């Protein structure tokens, strides 16, 4: 294995982290098992298999000066490099039996990863009932985005046959604020393209913050504590709504979040009139089943969640229209593409500006709603089937709630991460997700 300098966005994730705001992804997988010793066996398997996965043996090392062992790095950079002291037993932890996997997962998501070692962990939680166990995976966002984290986790599962991916057509250029510069000389073309992208994104960020109310429930002062919750919905119900109303499955899943937030805030006694929190919808620019490059390949869309809209079908139509508009512009334009500006910031700028960028997150968006892809094939660990999986996103400074969603074998799994003090009733929001699907179905049938 060789050293690999961090891409700018990876470096940004590495430097905006603080003890109160760890920047790791997570996923809680629940496995069916007929034996109370299955969890201990799973922990042994994970440790043995992790030793054979090169990506899990990589740590992140600060690189303040160029090194003969690395490609030239600017001051303030960092790189992934093999960790010679790697011991999988430092990363795979077997816990005492648990009655509630989510409550344990929340406490574990609160803890930052050890930055001196490869930044990942796997926590095995045997069930008190002796019929199940869970595994919580944590990967630092500088090590992997959602798709890369999935590949690393799948590498320690039981082997499965993965179909070959079909090649994709190259992305067509999208119109922006500046005229097409493809015919200009290379240096000028690159400079103007960068300026045009920055102006587009900056203008979109400014416009997105105007004139619409957010809510303190989503942007409370951080306490550094964490709570998690999950909800499982029937994918057939989502398709049923989609076929009646149109749009995509993702449109429906985002609208469900908007409706659940409205229901939850009403139950709390918070007003929803005119409420439209800004939601960041990350978009992966990585091709499925492609391991390289290792770094984050992300852009995103930014939309207003129509929480203040009382009609569930009107909420869905608003989400659908906003997502269509974002797709027409493409993931390289608009406020959601702010992550792309990381490519134009020098490494030292990321290091010195990381805390400031972390503080600015609340100015950019109010809530993260992300989709994490999962294979349609059934995953197993030690022969035990994976029956549920709840993805967890990092909680940025200034945000109280992040929502991640995955579809797996006919079910939709929502994973919620919240500041435990700001959102003590996270389970009620999880229940509101299921209730909102029923509301949409009733509205479609009415």
């Amino acid at each position: 294995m060789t050293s690999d300098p961090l891409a700018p966005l990876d470096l940004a994730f590495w430097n905006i982290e603080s003890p109160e705001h760890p920047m790791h992804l997570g996923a809680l997988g629940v496995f069916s098992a007929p034996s109370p010793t299955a969890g201990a066996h799973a922990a042994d398997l994970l440790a043995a298999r992790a030793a054979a996965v090169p990506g899990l043996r990589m740590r992140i090392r600060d690189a303040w000066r160029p090194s003969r062992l690395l490609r030239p790095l600017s001051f303030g950079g960092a790189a992934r490099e093999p960790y010679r002291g790697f011991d999988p037993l430092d990363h795979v932890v077997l816990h005492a039996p648990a009655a509630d996997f989510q409550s344990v997962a929340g406490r574990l998501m609160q803890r930052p990863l050890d930055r001196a070692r490869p930044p990942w962990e796997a926590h095995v939680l045997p069930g008190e009932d002796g019929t199940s166990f869970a595994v919580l995976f944590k990967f630092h966002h500088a090590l992997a985005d959602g798709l890369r984290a999935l590949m690393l986790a799948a590498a320690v599962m039981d082997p499965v046959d993965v179909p070959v991916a079909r090649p994709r057509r190259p992305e067509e250029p999208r119109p922006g604020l500046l005229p097409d510069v493809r015919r200009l000389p290379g240096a000028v073309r690159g400079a103007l393209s960068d300026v045009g992208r920055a102006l587009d994104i900056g203008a979109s960020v400014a416009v997105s913050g105007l004139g619409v109310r957010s809510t303190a429930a989503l942007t409370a002062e951080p306490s550094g504590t964490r709570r998690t919750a999950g909800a499982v919905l029937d994918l057939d119900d989502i398709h049923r709504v989609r076929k009646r109303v149109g749009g995509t499955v993702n449109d429906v899943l985002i609208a469900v979040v908007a409706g659940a937030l409205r229901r939850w805030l009403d139950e709390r006694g918070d007003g929803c009139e005119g409420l439209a929190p800004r939601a960041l919808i990350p978009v992966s620019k990585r091709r499925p089943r492609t391991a390289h490059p290792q770094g984050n390949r992300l852009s995103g869309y930014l939309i207003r969640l129509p929480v203040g809209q009382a009609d569930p079908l009107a909420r869905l139509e608003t989400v659908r229209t906003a997502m269509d508009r974002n797709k027409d512009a493409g993931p390289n334009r608009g406020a959601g593409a702010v992550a792309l500006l990381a490519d134009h910031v020098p490494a030292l700028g990321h290091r010195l500006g990381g805390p400031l960028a972390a503080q600015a997150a609340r100015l950019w968006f109010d809530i993260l709603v992300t989709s994490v892809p999962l294979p349609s094939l059934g995953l197993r660990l030690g022969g035990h089937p994976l029956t549920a999986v709840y993805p967890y996103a990092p909680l940025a400074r200034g945000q109280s709630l992040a929502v991640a969603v995955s579809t797996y074998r006919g079910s939709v799994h929502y994973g919620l991460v919240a500041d435990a003090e700001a959102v003590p009733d996270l389970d009620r929001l999880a229940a509101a997700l299921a209730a909102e699907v029923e509301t949409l179905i009733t509205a479609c049938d009415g």
Side-chain angles (χ1 to χ4, degrees):
M1 293 185 291
T2 59
S3 296
D4 176 30
L6 290 190
L9 185 54
D10 304 333
L11 189 59
F13 284 132
W14 189 245
N15 285 314
I16 66 175
E17 181 174 66
S18 68
E20 296 78 20
H21 292 86
M23 290 302 297
H24 51 252
L25 310 167
L28 180 68
V30 180
F31 297 82
S32 175
S35 168
T37 62
H41 178 55
D44 291 339
L45 279 177
L46 290 173
R49 293 172 178 174
V53 180
L56 296 179
R57 302 202 301 270
M58 302 292 283
R59 72 168 180 174
I60 295 175
R61 182 180 67 83
D62 292 335
W64 282 95
R65 59 177 60 92
S67 168
R68 295 177 182 177
L69 301 178
L70 299 174
R71 290 179 287 176
L73 292 171
S74 60
F75 290 99
R80 299 180 191 85
E81 66 175 13
Y83 182 53
R84 299 185 183 279
F86 177 72
D87 184 347
L89 295 180
D90 291 335
H91 300 266
V92 180
V93 181
L94 177 64
H95 292 259
D100 180 3
F101 296 143
Q102 290 286 356
S103 63
V104 179
R107 294 193 295 271
L108 293 173
M109 285 295 291
Q110 181 175 316
R111 302 178 188 173
L113 293 165
D114 187 344
R115 291 167 67 95
R117 299 189 304 206
W120 69 274
E121 293 174 350
H123 296 269
V124 181
L125 314 175
E128 279 190 352
D129 58 6
T131 64
S132 64
F133 67 89
V135 179
L136 174 67
F137 287 101
K138 294 167 58 178
F139 295 96
H140 199 287
H141 218 325
L143 180 70
D145 57 17
L147 191 53
R148 175 70 178 169
L150 169 63
M151 296 174 190
L152 292 173
V156 292
M157 297 288 107
D158 295 352
V160 294
D161 294 327
V162 179
V164 177
R166 296 179 179 178
R168 291 185 175 183
R169 295 180 179 179
E171 183 178 344
E172 291 293 327
R174 303 285 186 174
L177 289 176
L178 294 185
D180 189 354
V181 296
R182 287 174 292 179
R183 299 180 182 179
L184 296 177
V188 177
R189 179 172 64 245
L192 287 181
S193 294
D194 287 348
V195 171
R197 178 175 297 178
L199 288 174
D200 280 349
I201 293 170
S204 296
V205 170
V207 170
S208 72
L210 298 176
V212 184
R213 189 169 66 89
S214 185
T215 173
L218 301 180
T219 57
E221 287 300 316
S223 69
T225 58
R226 293 292 181 270
R227 186 185 304 275
T228 64
V232 182
L233 311 179
D234 191 332
L235 183 57
D236 286 342
D237 289 339
I238 303 299
H239 280 297
R240 181 177 172 185
V241 174
R242 179 190 62 80
K243 290 176 181 178
R244 292 288 185 93
V245 181
T248 68
V249 166
N250 201 43
D251 294 342
V252 179
L253 296 177
I254 295 171
V256 167
V257 173
L261 286 172
R262 178 182 177 83
R263 185 183 300 268
W264 172 64
L265 291 170
D266 276 343
E267 291 177 354
R268 289 164 58 106
D270 296 342
C272 295
E273 185 66 28
L275 191 62
R278 298 160 299 177
L280 175 64
I281 315 294
V283 176
S284 175
K285 297 172 67 66
R286 184 192 300 279
R287 292 187 177 186
R289 308 183 189 93
T290 300
H292 299 286
Q294 294 189 59
N296 282 271
R297 299 285 295 166
L298 292 172
S299 181
Y301 299 139
L302 197 68
I303 72 169
R304 289 283 186 173
L305 293 181
V307 175
Q309 171 60 254
D311 185 337
L313 295 182
R315 285 196 296 269
L316 177 52
E317 181 59 28
T318 298
V319 167
R320 177 184 172 186
T321 300
M323 289 299 290
D324 286 346
R325 184 168 55 248
N326 274 304
K327 292 170 189 174
D328 287 341
N332 295 333
R333 298 285 179 179
V338 160
L340 299 178
L341 295 182
D343 293 336
H344 309 294
V345 177
L348 186 59
H350 282 295
R351 183 175 299 278
L352 298 179
L356 180 61
Q359 293 282 1
R362 70 171 66 197
L363 303 177
W364 177 22
F365 64 97
D366 301 310
I367 182 174
L368 179 74
V369 182
T370 184
S371 177
V372 182
L374 289 176
S376 57
L377 301 173
L379 296 176
R380 292 175 175 268
L381 180 57
H384 305 298
L386 177 68
T387 59
V389 58
Y390 303 96
Y392 301 133
L395 196 59
R397 183 182 297 272
Q399 273 88 47
S400 301
L401 175 68
V403 179
V405 58
S406 291
T407 57
Y408 178 70
R409 299 187 62 83
S411 295
V412 176
H413 294 82
Y414 281 93
L416 310 179
V417 177
D419 185 287
E421 292 188 11
V423 189
D425 54 347
L426 189 62
D427 288 339
R428 295 172 65 182
L429 177 57
L433 291 164
E436 178 62 15
V437 173
E438 294 299 323
T439 296
L440 281 168
I441 291 174
T442 300
C444 289
D445 293 341

